Amino acid sequence: DAKTTQPNSMESNEEEPVHLPCNHSTISGTDYIHWYRQLPSQGPEYVIHGLTSNVNNRMASLAIAEDRKSSTLILHRATLRDAAVYYCILRPDQTGANNLFFGTGTRLTVIP
Amino acid sequence: NAGVTQTPKFQVLKTGQSMTLQCAQDMNHNSMYWYRQDPGMGLRLIYYSASEGTTDKGEVPNGYNVSRLNKREFSLRLESAAPSQTSVYFCASSEGADLNQPQHFGDGTRLSIL
C-alpha cells in the first residue's frame, strides 16, 4: 500500500486558516486520498476525500497537487473543537476490502 | 442517532481470561471493522466483514476471533487475553464494499490486561 508522510504536529491560532500537508509520492493512479480526524478520547471521524480535483464540504477543503504526489487539508477557520489528530490515508480503488491504513497523523493544536 | 455503539467502554482483564467486545450499528451498513489503537500509533485493522456472512483478517488478527452475528452486530473475541492486547479497540461500519464510502467509528473500548 502506498504510504503517506505528515508532520507530527502543527499549531494554529483560533479563527485562522489551517493548512495540513500530506506527501504521497508513491500514489498510484487509482488511489483516493482520504482524511480522517480523531478528537481526544473519541473514534476517528471522516473529514473528506478526493481523487484528482479539489473538493469542498462543510468541514474542510482538500487541495490535491496536479501530479497527485501531495495534498493539503484546509480548515478555513480553526476552532478549539478542531484540535485533533488528522490522518491522511490512501485507498486503492478496488472492490472487496474496505480497510483504512492509518499512519500516526498530524496532531493539530489550536491556540485560543 | 446512535451510529456505532460499542460495549463495554472500559474493561480490565487478567491474563488468560476471555472476553467479547460488542459492536452494533443502526445505519443499515453492510461492512463492519475492528481496529486497535496503541499509544502513539495509528489504528491497525484486526478483522473486517465486507458483508453479512463474511469475515476476513486484517493487519493484526492473531489472538482474536470475530463473529458477524447479523447485519447490525459484529463482535470481537479474545479467547485468552495477553498483556500485549492492552489497547483501545474501535469498531467501524461503512455502507458497502465501495472503498470510498466513509467509515463511521464508535467511541472505543479501553481494555487493560494485567
Side-chain angles (χ1 to χ4, degrees):
Chain A
D1 300 286
K3 296 186 74 172
T4 63
T5 303
Q6 300 176 252
N8 288 333
S9 61
M10 291 184 63
E11 287 186 352
S12 173
N13 293 320
E14 193 177 10
E15 299 187 5
E16 290 187 356
V18 183
H19 291 234
L20 297 163
C22 181
N23 286 322
H24 28 78
S25 58
T26 60
I27 191 169
S28 74
T30 56
D31 285 344
Y32 281 76
I33 303 158
H34 287 245
W35 285 81
Y36 282 73
R37 71 179 186 181
Q38 187 173 19
L39 280 65
S41 300
Q42 294 187 24
E45 174 186 30
Y46 168 80
V47 178
I48 201 167
H49 78 274
L51 181 62
T52 56
S53 304
N54 294 344
V55 184
N56 301 295
N57 66 21
R58 64 174 180 81
M59 290 181 69
S61 296
L62 175 60
I64 301 171
E66 199 169 330
D67 63 5
R68 300 206 332 119
K69 293 184 184 299
S70 65
S71 61
T72 302
L73 179 71
I74 302 166
L75 308 179
H76 295 287
R77 193 165 164 271
T79 68
L80 296 178
R81 196 194 174 278
D82 292 323
V85 178
Y86 287 79
Y87 297 98
C88 170
I89 301 164
L90 300 183
R91 301 184 63 190
D93 187 17
Q94 302 170 7
T95 57
N98 189 11
N99 32 312
L100 297 168
F101 291 92
F102 285 78
T104 54
T106 297
R107 182 174 298 278
L108 176 65
T109 301
V110 179
I111 302 166
Chain B
N1 266 345
V4 177
T5 302
Q6 294 184 234
T7 55
K9 295 191 186 308
F10 302 93
Q11 185 71 48
V12 179
L13 293 178
K14 295 181 179 178
T15 298
Q17 287 186 318
S18 62
M19 173 165 189
T20 300
L21 279 61
Q22 306 287 351
C23 174
Q25 51 90 10
D26 63 0
M27 296 172 282
N28 201 35
H29 284 171
N30 290 303
S31 302
M32 298 185 73
Y33 317 84
W34 277 105
Y35 293 87
R36 62 177 287 175
Q37 185 173 34
D38 300 311
M41 297 181 69
L43 280 71
R44 292 182 293 170
L45 183 69
I46 304 171
Y47 271 94
Y48 64 97
S49 171
S51 61
E52 187 179 357
T54 68
T55 61
D56 285 286
K57 295 179 180 179
E59 185 184 353
V60 289
N62 291 345
Y64 305 95
N65 286 301
V66 290
S67 295
R68 184 74 183 269
L69 304 170
N70 47 54
K71 191 171 185 179
R72 289 187 64 248
E73 298 172 289
F74 189 39
S75 63
L76 178 72
R77 183 160 178 84
L78 287 70
E79 289 291 351
S80 178
S84 61
Q85 294 177 304
T86 293
S87 190
V88 181
Y89 291 85
F90 290 99
C91 177
S93 70
S94 66
E95 196 169 323
D98 180 342
L99 292 186
N100 293 296
Q101 292 169 347
Q103 290 190 13
H104 301 260
F105 286 80
D107 284 336
T109 293
R110 285 149 182 80
L111 183 62
S112 293
I113 298 160
L114 307 176

